Amino acid sequence: MDYFPIFLDLRGAPCLVVGGGEVALRKVRLLLAAGARLTVVAPDVVPELAALVEEGACAHLCQPFADALVSGQRLVVAATNLREVNHTVSEAAQTAGIPVNVVDDPALSTYITPAIIDRSPLVIAVSTGGGVPVLARLVRARLESLIPAGFGRLARFAARFRDVVKARFADVEARRMFWESVLEGPLAEDVMAGNEQRAETAFLERLASASDRPEGAVYLVGAGPGNPDLLTFRALRLMQQSDVVLYDRLVAPELLELVRRDAERIDVGKARAKHTLPQEDINALMVRLAQEGKRVLRLKGGDPFTFGRGGEEIETLAAHRIPFEVVPGITSASGAAAYAGIPLTHRDHAQSVVFVTGHRKDGVLDLDWPALTRPGQTVVVYMGLAMAAELCEAFVTHGKPATTPAAVVEWATTERQRTVTGTLATLPGLIARHGVASPALIIVGEVVGLAEKLAWYRPAADDA
Ligand code: SAH
C-alpha cells in the first residue's frame, strides 16, 4: 500500500488553498463540502470563486503566496499552474509538518486526493496512488452506477439507531449480523425508497426479537476454476459475509483477496498425498466453528459437488443440525473446455461427456473401460496427471484408436493456463516434455481436435 487512506474531520478546521483558477475552485468546493474554514490565497480568482468569497463561504487573500501563510493550517492545497509556486508551497507546508497536496503532482504532495463517491454519510474514496487518476475515475464511475443513490439515506437511517443497537447486543458478532441482515433485506429497500416510517417500525420489531447469540452456519461454496471473474454473485456475497474461511490449495490467492478483510483464514489445503488436514478433521472443525456461532465459508475449487467431497462435508453438518447452504461453482472441466476452445459436446463429434477421476485400486487403474471407450464421447479426467501415461495406454488397450485427440489443460482459466494437445499416443511424452504440473485436466475425444480452430484465450504462459 503506497498511501494509507483515512477520513479527516475538517469541520471548522483552517485550511489553505493556493491558487485562484478552475482547479483551485474544484478543491475549494470539495473542502467547503467537508466544512473546512477556508482561506484562498491568489492575486486573481475566477468569477465563481469570487462569488464564494462574496457569499462569505471562504476568505480571500489577494496576494502572492508567502511561507508564513501555512502556519496554523490543518491542510494545504497548491493548485496554481506555476510549478515554482507549487514547489514553494509544498516546501513551506512540509517544513511546518502540515499535510500538503499539489494538484496532479504526487512527488510534491504528502497526501493525495482520491476520486470520491459521495453518498454522505457514506463516502467512498478511490485512489491509484496518484499514478493513474483516469483509472480511479473509471472505478468511481462503476461504483457510482453500482451504489444506489438511496445509500446515503440508508446510512443516515442506520446511524440514528447505532446506540440502541449497541446497547441491545453485548456480543459484537451478534450486532454485526443484525446490521447485515437489516442492511441487506427488504427493510433497507424501504428506507432507500423513502418509506422510512414503515422501515422504522419493522426495524424496531426486529431489534426486539433478534437473538442475542449469533446463529452459525456453513456455506459450501464453489470458487470456480481459478479466474475470479468466474465466481457467482452468490459466492462473492457469502465470501464477503463470512467470519471464517476454510480453503483448499486450489483456491487462488486472487480469490481469497475477495473474502472479507477481517475474516479468519484457515488453510486446510489438500495437496495430493499430503493431506494438511484429514477430511474428518475438516468436518469436525466446521461443526465446531458453526456451533460457536460463526458463519463458516467452506471455499472449494471448481464445483463443491464435483470431485470435491462436498457431499461428505455436508452430511456431517446435517447430522449435527447445522444450517448450511451449497453454492455451485464452475467445475474445472467446464472452465478448461471453454478457455481451451474444446466444446465438450458437439453434434458431429461427441454426443455425451463423462467426468472421471483417475483412481487406482491395488495399483491398477480402476475405471469402467467399456463405458469410457465408447465412440462419440468426450472423457475428462480429474486428478489424472500423475497417471497420464497409464491412462492413455489403457484407453488404447481397451479399444480407442491411438490417434484419438487428447489434451491436457493446466491452470485452466487463469493467467497461467497452458494447453498441450496431441493424441493418446503422444500426450504422455508431451506432458513430460512441457513439464505440465497440477492442477491439470486430461481431455480425450474427437472434440480436442477443434481446439486448433476455437482456442481464443491466449495467456502469456501458453507457449506450448
Ligand atoms: N471440485 C473441483 C475438482 C477438485 S479435484 C472442480 O469442480 O473442478 C482437483 C482436480 O481438479 C485437479 O487435480 C485437476 O484435475 C482439476 N482442476 C481444478 N482446477 C483446475 C484448473 N484450474 N485447471 C485444470 N485442472 C483443474
Side-chain angles (χ1 to χ4, degrees), residues 113-234:
T113 315
I116 295 169
I117 298 119
D118 188 1
R119 302 276 192 278
S120 282
L122 172 73
V123 175
I124 302 171
V126 181
S127 154
T128 55
V132 203
V134 178
L135 184 62
R137 285 199 281 275
L138 284 178
V139 173
R140 180 183 61 188
R142 284 202 190 181
L143 291 174
E144 289 276 10
S145 60
L146 214 68
I147 298 167
F151 257 54
R153 197 177 283 150
L154 184 60
R156 280 193 297 279
F157 177 88
R160 268 173 48 210
F161 296 104
R162 197 187 141 152
D163 292 339
V164 210
V165 174
K166 201 163 171 184
R168 167 74 175 71
F169 298 101
D171 186 293
V172 185
E173 279 304 296
R175 195 190 313 155
R176 195 163 52 73
M177 283 171 72
F178 172 77
W179 274 125
E180 275 179 11
S181 73
V182 165
L183 296 176
E184 293 206 318
L187 201 157
E189 298 296 332
D190 261 354
V191 177
M192 287 194 276
N195 295 329
E196 291 214 17
Q197 202 47 53
R198 190 164 80 181
E200 181 165 344
T201 314
F203 182 90
L204 294 173
E205 269 169 22
R206 226 161 137 162
L207 188 62
S209 65
S211 142
D212 285 321
R213 233 180 72 88
E215 196 191 7
V218 176
Y219 310 124
L220 180 61
V221 173
N227 186 327
D229 278 355
L230 299 178
L231 274 179
T232 60
F233 284 126
R234 185 79 193 135

Side-chain angles (χ1 to χ4, degrees), residues 225 250 301-303 306-308 331-332 382-383 409-412 438-441:
L250 272 179
D303 175 70
T306 308
F307 303 124
T331 190
S332 50
Y382 288 67
M383 293 175 272
V409 189
E410 180 189 42
W411 285 109
S438 190
L441 286 166

Side-chain angles (χ1 to χ4, degrees), residues 19-39:
E22 291 296 335
V23 179
L25 175 66
R26 280 209 303 276
K27 300 294 163 184
V28 164
R29 289 212 166 111
L30 214 52
L31 288 167
L32 287 178
R37 187 150 58 77
L38 202 60
T39 304

Side-chain angles (χ1 to χ4, degrees), residues 400-439:
K400 271 278 189 210
T403 52
T404 307
V408 62
V409 189
E410 180 189 42
W411 285 109
T413 75
T414 71
E415 282 170 16
R416 298 163 72 180
Q417 173 172 311
R418 282 199 300 171
T419 308
V420 178
T421 53
T423 62
L424 284 175
T426 63
L427 194 68
L430 290 168
I431 288 174
R433 177 136 64 82
H434 291 288
V436 177
S438 190

